[in-house]
Amino acid sequence: MAIVFNQPQTIAQLLEKSLIIPEYQRPYKWQPKHVNQLIDDIVHHRTKPCYRLGTVVLHQDKDSENAVLNIVDGQQRLLTLTLLCTILDKEENSISSSLLEHTFESSVSIENLKNNAQLISERVDSLPATEKQELLNFVLNKCELIQVTLDDLSEAFQFFDSQNARGKALAPHDLLKAYHLREMMDSTEQSERLHHVSLWEQGINQMMSLRTCIPSWGSFCSVCDVGLMVTTASSLVVTILMYSKGLT
């Protein structure tokens, strides 16, 4: 496996890098319980000389001359940490990250980012200025993520899949989207991939809406969720596979 970097990095070091959220990524889905858990963990461990928050998997194109790093795994945590640092630093406004310049297309991402930014603000606004600065310094300089960078996209996803299998599993539709869209990378333009990402998310949102509208969902069959997801996404998968095989 072509791992080109495998070292712990502070949050400050990661935010200084040219991080990109590629179009095959799932939307930002962290809920208040995830954000609160992260903040609680950071506050609980803030007296430690170092606190490790997990792993981030990045892909760097070996044929590219720039230092852009695509986030394969760790988007949810990195975005939340960026929100936290930016809000803690809003008086000085010194935090700069490429993630702050990203344009989010998914309504799910936009809504969750807005809600979580409000939640973080409510939690930290009452802190004295000195405590805010101390917490910011701890997050930036003492909190770490293991940065694993690979120069082959397929191998990056293989590493991601192995990590995901040991942790909390992604939803099946998220894995399907990532798997099939990465097959389109060499045979389609970005505009085409973004179009299919939009179609995919619309189909999944419709599926989730239908699930919410049916109180007895799943009472007849334990695989109803997966069955409807596959039905909803099947035409998209066929189209994506046609692109990946160069048939369109």
Side-chain angles (χ1 to χ4, degrees):
M1 190 169 287
I3 296 178
V4 297
F5 189 87
N6 185 10
Q7 295 289 334
Q9 296 282 281
T10 65
I11 302 306
Q13 289 173 318
L14 283 167
L15 294 184
E16 290 173 355
K17 301 179 187 293
S18 297
L19 299 173
I20 299 295
I21 301 173
E23 61 265 24
Y24 55 72
Q25 270 289 0
R26 61 174 173 158
Y28 175 72
K29 293 185 175 181
W30 265 25
Q31 298 298 305
K33 64 179 181 180
H34 304 113
V35 178
N36 279 322
Q37 184 63 62
L38 178 63
I39 296 175
D40 289 344
D41 289 343
I42 290 172
V43 171
H44 179 73
H45 295 284
R46 69 185 184 278
T47 58
K48 291 186 175 180
C50 174
Y51 181 51
R52 193 153 293 172
L53 292 167
T55 302
V56 58
V57 180
L58 308 175
H59 167 245
Q60 183 174 19
D61 189 347
K62 55 187 172 185
D63 297 323
S64 176
E65 297 181 356
N66 57 40
V68 170
L69 296 166
N70 294 291
I71 302 172
V72 177
D73 185 31
Q75 175 205 183
Q76 311 288 317
R77 186 172 283 105
L78 281 170
L79 282 174
T80 306
L81 288 166
T82 302
L83 280 178
L84 176 60
C85 291
T86 303
I87 292 170
L88 284 170
D89 184 57
K90 66 181 178 181
E91 298 297 329
E92 300 293 330
N93 197 28
S94 62
I95 299 295
S96 177
S97 170
S98 59
L99 293 178
L100 295 173
E101 301 170 6
H102 182 78
T103 301
F104 293 91
E105 303 289 343
S106 167
S107 59
V108 173
S109 295
I110 294 170
E111 184 68 17
N112 287 331
L113 285 166
K114 180 180 69 174
N115 292 340
N116 290 341
Q118 181 178 350
L119 169 66
I120 293 171
S121 294
E122 291 173 354
R123 288 203 56 168
V124 305
D125 279 352
S126 61
L127 296 176
T130 53
E131 287 190 32
K132 287 183 184 178
Q133 190 59 48
E134 289 174 358
L135 187 58
L136 177 62
N137 288 337
F138 177 75
V139 174
L140 287 174
N141 303 310
K142 302 297 182 181
C143 290
E144 296 180 344
L145 286 164
I146 300 295
Q147 177 188 333
V148 180
T149 304
L150 301 96
D151 61 7
D152 183 279
L153 184 59
S154 294
E155 291 185 353
F157 270 100
Q158 288 172 18
F159 186 91
F160 160 67
D161 290 341
S162 67
Q163 292 293 108
N164 184 64
R166 290 193 290 268
K168 181 180 179 181
L170 293 177
H173 55 263
D174 287 324
L175 288 172
L176 271 175
K177 185 184 76 172
Y179 176 81
H180 289 294
L181 283 175
R182 76 181 188 240
E183 294 296 320
M184 299 174 67
M185 296 300 290
D186 296 328
S187 58
T188 60
E189 298 295 327
Q190 183 180 23
S191 59
E192 292 175 300
R193 296 193 296 271
L194 289 174
H195 173 66
H196 286 291
V197 168
S198 177
L199 289 177
W200 188 282
E201 294 301 331
Q202 288 175 28
I204 295 303
N205 288 338
Q206 290 172 5
M207 181 270 286
M208 296 305 292
S209 297
L210 179 59
R211 179 185 178 188
T212 302
C213 292
I214 304 177
S216 59
W217 186 267
S219 61
F220 300 104
C221 178
S222 62
V223 296
C224 281
D225 280 355
V226 177
L228 181 58
M229 180 275 295
V230 171
T231 302
T232 303
S234 60
S235 61
L236 297 179
V237 171
V238 170
T239 302
I240 291 170
L241 285 173
M242 290 175 68
Y243 271 107
S244 70
K245 300 298 183 183
L247 298 178
T248 62

